[in-house]
Amino acid sequence: MDRRQMITGAAAMSALLTSKVQASVPTRSFLEIKTWYLHNSHEAQAKRISDYLETGLFPALTRAGAKPIAAFSNLIGADGPYLVTITQYPSLVALQDTLTKLAADETHEKASQQLSSGAGMPFVTVESSLLHSLAILPEPAIPTDAASRPPRIFELRTYQSQSMSALNKKVGMFNNGEIATFQRLGMRPIFIGESIIGPRQPNITYMLSFDNLDGREKLWQQFGSDPEWKRLSAPPELKDAEIVANISNTILRPLPFSPVK
């Protein structure tokens, strides 16, 4: 074997090893969270938006190659009433492709026109944010046992950090033990991601699910006294009080057609 063959063979082997490593690392996805703010009036906004999501937007997103994850109504939290939708995209290119396909989807356009044809406004306003999932949970965990149990409640939590450095420390905590502690205790993380578009940055937003409100309270108490969590948060530089500026949360319940429930 001459020198040129050796170099070519080495390059091929390097490319093969690189591709195997890349294939073994799950691709982090992108999650769009939309909040549809409503008001209580004769306009029946909650029903109009719910119908549009179920029969118009979610099917259109699926046809376009996106993955609708969930649809919720607020149970406990400020600024209600509102609905929350979550859509997964494998990449930013896929998100752009979805938007292009939605614009050309005649069936979705008819559903959109029907939404706007009722009396008054179909909603007050819509706010959207885009998350990049963390490595510990690159794709949402969709429960597969929904048909055999009552719907659960879901907690959406946002941790706003004091700086990018503080955010990176919190990301490390989630990736290196905090999410695993949630899973071990049965707090059932659905997704977690860093906000790349949206308000109150820098922040991390994640979702947990619980059987009921009483179960939620008990599990959070267990988490606070868990030895592994205490070990993880023991170093002074990893104290939540030092790296998290604000924590906000809402309690949601799934709409009947929500994939996650």
Side-chain angles (χ1 to χ4, degrees):
M1 178 181 294
D2 60 26
R3 184 171 181 274
R4 180 178 298 176
Q5 288 175 317
M6 290 178 64
I7 293 174
T8 302
M13 180 60 72
S14 176
L16 178 60
L17 291 174
T18 299
S19 65
K20 286 184 176 181
V21 170
Q22 290 176 340
S24 65
V25 177
T27 302
R28 295 164 59 193
S29 57
F30 292 86
L31 297 170
E32 181 185 25
I33 301 179
K34 279 191 172 183
T35 304
W36 306 73
Y37 289 100
L38 316 170
H39 57 211
N40 295 311
S41 70
H42 66 283
E43 296 159 309
Q45 290 183 342
K47 184 179 187 309
R48 289 166 68 181
I49 292 297
S50 180
D51 290 347
Y52 163 68
L53 295 175
E54 180 178 11
T55 64
L57 182 59
F58 274 26
L61 287 169
T62 302
R63 289 193 298 272
K67 189 175 183 180
I69 295 299
F72 301 102
S73 62
N74 69 301
L75 180 61
I76 300 174
D79 302 323
Y82 54 83
L83 303 182
V84 175
T85 57
I86 303 170
T87 305
Q88 178 188 356
Y89 303 92
S91 67
L92 292 178
V93 172
L95 191 158
Q96 176 60 56
D97 188 49
T98 295
L99 294 177
T100 301
K101 290 179 178 177
L102 282 179
D105 189 322
E106 295 182 358
T107 302
H108 176 251
E109 177 60 24
K110 290 179 180 177
S112 182
Q113 290 178 1
Q114 183 177 355
L115 171 65
S116 302
S117 64
M121 302 186 301
F123 53 84
V124 176
T125 192
V126 180
E127 293 182 357
S128 182
S129 61
L130 188 65
L131 309 180
H132 195 196
S133 64
L134 300 192
I136 190 63
L137 205 60
E139 293 195 3
I142 301 178
T144 59
D145 61 344
S148 62
R149 57 163 174 76
R152 293 168 174 154
I153 62 166
F154 294 79
E155 182 171 7
L156 185 67
R157 294 175 68 90
T158 296
Y159 288 4
Q160 184 178 1
S161 294
Q162 299 174 353
S163 65
M164 295 306 300
S165 176
L167 178 81
N168 290 335
K169 290 179 181 179
K170 193 59 189 174
V171 167
M173 292 177 70
F174 280 121
N175 281 334
N176 297 314
E178 191 163 351
I179 289 296
T181 301
F182 288 155
Q183 292 169 327
R184 175 169 51 80
L185 294 177
M187 299 171 80
R188 296 187 292 259
I190 303 298
F191 69 82
I192 183 168
E194 176 186 348
S195 174
I196 58 175
I197 298 175
R200 296 187 299 148
Q201 295 193 38
N203 72 63
I204 297 169
T205 295
Y206 66 95
M207 176 173 280
L208 305 172
S209 71
F210 304 92
D211 291 337
N212 48 52
L213 289 173
D214 286 343
R216 172 190 173 275
E217 292 298 322
K218 292 176 182 178
L219 285 171
W220 271 117
Q221 289 176 9
Q222 291 178 30
F223 175 81
S225 60
D226 183 78
E228 181 62 23
W229 163 245
K230 288 185 176 181
R231 182 199 64 77
L232 178 65
S233 60
E237 69 274 11
L238 294 182
K239 294 291 186 182
D240 273 356
E242 300 298 326
I243 62 178
V244 177
N246 184 57
I247 299 175
S248 61
N249 69 319
T250 60
I251 305 298
L252 307 170
R253 53 188 170 194
L255 297 177
F257 61 89
S258 175
V260 167
K261 63 179 64 174

